[in-house]
Amino acid sequence: MQFTEWLNAGILLATIVAIVYGPIKAVKITRNMDDARAKENRRVEIFRNLMRTRQIQLDEEHVYALNLIEIEFYGEEKIVSAYRAYMNHLNTPLPAVDAQDKFFEDRRDLFIDLLHVIGKAVGYEFDRRDLGKFGYVPAGWGNEAERQRYLQHLFIEVLENKRPLPVAPMVAANANPFPPAPEIEKQE
């Protein structure tokens, strides 16, 4: 065999390999890029949910986002460390009344630390003070949530037979806006 025949055979073999292997490699690259993009989107969504609910931490979206941090930020030691410090504090029993201000201040600081490191990881650079200072929740939301909890508590007590269900007329008889029924005279 001459050199040109070897060269042509090599080119043919390279072409066959490229035809078979090229699309497979392209699909793998595309899938890896899609997986990386999806992971980044999930991480940003966690950050967005924590930012959105930073002033209403009893919101279920806030709790869901917290519970996904260990999965989505697995292996990122700064985030996992901040997460664990915050979770340990959340699971600490409430101290005596005179120590509660410090307790809740520490909790807030740990949460702000967590938000700050997650923000950095997903590409947002916020000042720590701004993370704690800004964020709006109308006072009415808190009042409404408190009323709902109170009404749920009362309803549960009624269902558990610990509290009677009061039944009373809606309008007092003398406050009726309609005139009384006419009296009918009996004929004898």
Side-chain angles (χ1 to χ4, degrees), residues 127-144:
D127 185 291
R128 281 189 81 262
R129 293 173 303 230
D130 290 346
L131 288 172
K133 183 172 32 171
F134 297 118
Y136 172 69
V137 175
W141 285 11
N143 296 341
E144 181 181 332

Side-chain angles (χ1 to χ4, degrees), residues 14-156:
T15 303
I16 292 171
V17 168
I19 288 172
V20 172
Y21 184 69
I24 294 171
K25 187 65 175 172
V27 168
K28 284 184 178 180
I29 290 171
T30 302
R31 289 199 59 180
N32 288 342
M33 289 172 56
D34 289 345
D35 289 347
R37 188 176 308 116
K39 181 177 182 175
E40 187 62 24
N41 288 342
R42 288 190 309 268
R43 291 160 49 107
V44 168
E45 189 61 24
I46 286 172
F47 181 67
R48 288 174 52 86
N49 285 339
L50 291 174
M51 287 291 287
R52 178 178 30 244
T53 60
R54 64 187 153 167
Q55 299 295 337
I56 44 174
Q57 296 177 356
L58 292 178
D59 186 85
E60 63 187 35
E61 287 299 319
H62 187 84
V63 176
Y64 295 155
L66 281 177
N67 288 327
L68 288 173
I69 290 173
E70 278 187 306
I71 294 171
E72 296 300 336
F73 294 95
Y74 180 79
E76 296 190 36
E77 288 307 314
K78 283 185 177 180
I79 294 173
V80 171
S81 176
Y83 169 77
R84 289 190 176 167
Y86 182 59
M87 292 306 291
N88 283 334
H89 197 279
L90 283 179
N91 292 311
T92 301
L94 209 57
V97 175
D98 59 335
Q100 286 183 6
D101 287 342
K102 173 78 169 110
F103 179 81
F104 286 115
E105 184 179 319
D106 291 345
R107 178 177 287 180
R108 184 178 161 280
D109 289 343
L110 289 168
F111 178 67
I112 296 303
D113 289 342
L114 177 62
L115 265 183
H116 190 251
V117 293
I118 291 175
K120 276 185 171 182
V122 297
Y124 292 97
E125 189 67 42
F126 287 105
D127 185 291
R128 281 189 81 262
R129 293 173 303 230
D130 290 346
L131 288 172
K133 183 172 32 171
F134 297 118
Y136 172 69
V137 175
W141 285 11
N143 296 341
E144 181 181 332
E146 186 59 37
R147 273 194 309 271
Q148 286 178 356
R149 279 192 291 276
Y150 178 69
L151 290 174
Q152 286 173 347
H153 172 73
L154 291 176
F155 186 65
I156 289 169

